[in-house]
Amino acid sequence: MTTLLQTLSSVRYSPGRTFLTALGAALGIATIVALLAVGNGARHSAGDFVHLGASDLALFQKDAADPTTSVLPTSLIPEVRRTPGIADATPLVLLVEDVPKDPSAIVFGAQPNSFYTSRLVFGAGHMFSAADQIVVGDGLASQLHLAVGDQLKVHRRPFQVVGIYHIGIAYQDSGAFIPLRVAQSILGRQGETTLIGVKLAVGTRPAAVEGTLSHRYPGIATIGTPEEAARLGANGQLISNAALVIAVLALVIGGIGVLNTMMMAVIERRSEFALLSAVGWSGPQIAFRVVMEGVVTTVIGAALGLLLGVIGAHFLIDALGAQQFVAPRVTAWDLGRALLVGVLIGVLGGLYPAWRAAHLSPAQILAQR
Amino acid sequence: MPGARVVAEHLSRRYGQVLALDDVSFEVEPGELLALTGPSGSGKTTLLQLIGSLDRPTSGSIGVDDIAVEQLSNPTHFRRSIVGFVFQLHYLLPALSLQQNVELPMMAAHVSRQERAERSRELLKEVGLEGRAQDHPSELSGGERQRVAIARALGGFPRLILADEPTGSLDTAASHRVWKLLGDVRDRRGTTVIVASHDPSLTEHVDREIHIVDGRLVPPPDRASPAGGGRTAAARHES
């Protein structure tokens, strides 16, 4: 307790140095928090993606670069429907970057009576009933100032807006639905679909059906959870790995920053540590004091880093132009992890300076005048 | 607690080509206030550091009571409970209050918080700084800081005080007060005190003086001889 109080006194005594050390840790922790928040948001969005229209499972082509490039034959669907435990299965085609006025909008090709479209709640108009009709999400309608009766081009093909819906899922509310066959025609992939949505019979364990489907169709990835969805595509894996690498780099850079500043502090205060040695402090007692200073400083930095990270996550998503699909999500566990990282940075960054402080020669230092 | 007996026998310390101490032998009786004099660079500080286990001799031995100081593999306990150091620069920790500074040796010895607070306040009172426990070193004069450094040196209730030029950066009045304080420590506690000093007024305050020139003990310069004289050690060195 006394050591902690004395550490706080030392930390308070040099506010400039404390701030700079804390800032170094804060930037590292802010990076980690921002990446975790964006990663969580992306995973959550991926979960939304899988569960469009409340499907329980989604079947994608295995090892596709990302979910939108998956290609499956629709001829599989009747066979999938016959699988024990599956109540329904329906195709869904995804068209990306095909709305010239808003390239980030996703257009879904779906059957009008499928469970994907049955949950759309129309605020205006109705479900499409002809090949040249389109229904748009209220987010996209608001962005492009669309109303029922207006025209919207998809892949250079004009569609008449016949309904505006809301469902509460970012992907869908910022996108649009067109008939399945039209979407297949635009892609030139008649008889193919991007994914197959699966609804399970009541009381069926998803894992059991996933196991059956994976065994029966080795070329298909069966996704049931947001975590699995995030791992689906090679690009998603790449992003996930990149986030991990950046987080580790942030940790290392933060640690080196703390080490550097703590080392400077030890050199600057060498007579203080030599004095402690002269009055009977043992090496471990001196080292503990230095490490404590590092930890206290980086915990201050962690608090600042958490704040910067949460703010930075929003900026990062804006900079990536992904605000329509990804909302940053920070959980208590993320904050806890970031705080733990702060303590780790403090301990790791303080170890070598602590060792140096514990091995200073009081005879050499205290004799200097 | 009585003061410590110090016995140095054939003590030498070499730094590379430089022989800082050359075959020095002397004894200090328990409760004695001894002055260690000599020009700058003569080896006074080296000798104090060897006695206090801050450094190791190249050859020879140092006994503090029954402890062979040169053989200590871990001198931590010796430094925290047998000796107390006072340096020319006070080396008070600026971030800490006076009480916290005085508590430092007690913290090393894991003395309880309450006992530390009581002892440190008593020690500050003893050095004339009662009621200033929560002040910081920056609020004190040079003489006051040195008195706090003496209180800190007494924190572990040492049997031996080693003071290296404690009045070296003080004015005459402050020096006089520091000398009186060291004398009081010896008188009240019976602590052995060895002071390295250039201070010409030291003969008024010490029991005995030993003089070092170029790392060797020599007879002190001709000035009023203090009670007991320093002749014994010097004479033994010469013999």
Side-chain angles (χ1 to χ4, degrees), chain B residues 213-233:
Chain B
V213 175
D214 294 335
R216 299 177 68 88
L217 292 191
V218 298
D222 187 22
R223 54 189 166 206
S225 178
R231 309 285 183 254
T232 310

Side-chain angles (χ1 to χ4, degrees), chain B residues 6 25 40 45-46 86-88 95 119 135 148 164 167 188-189 194 197 235-236:
Chain B
V6 180
S25 298
S40 292
T45 296
T46 302
V86 181
F87 302 95
Q88 179 178 354
R119 274 204 218 172
D135 285 0
V148 177
D164 188 5
T167 60
R188 272 191 240 155
R189 297 168 181 265
I194 303 177
S197 181
R236 190 170 63 245

Side-chain angles (χ1 to χ4, degrees), chain B residues 85-98:
Chain B
F85 290 97
V86 181
F87 302 95
Q88 179 178 354
L89 300 178
H90 50 78
Y91 292 119
L92 298 178
L93 273 54
L96 305 185
S97 67
L98 304 188

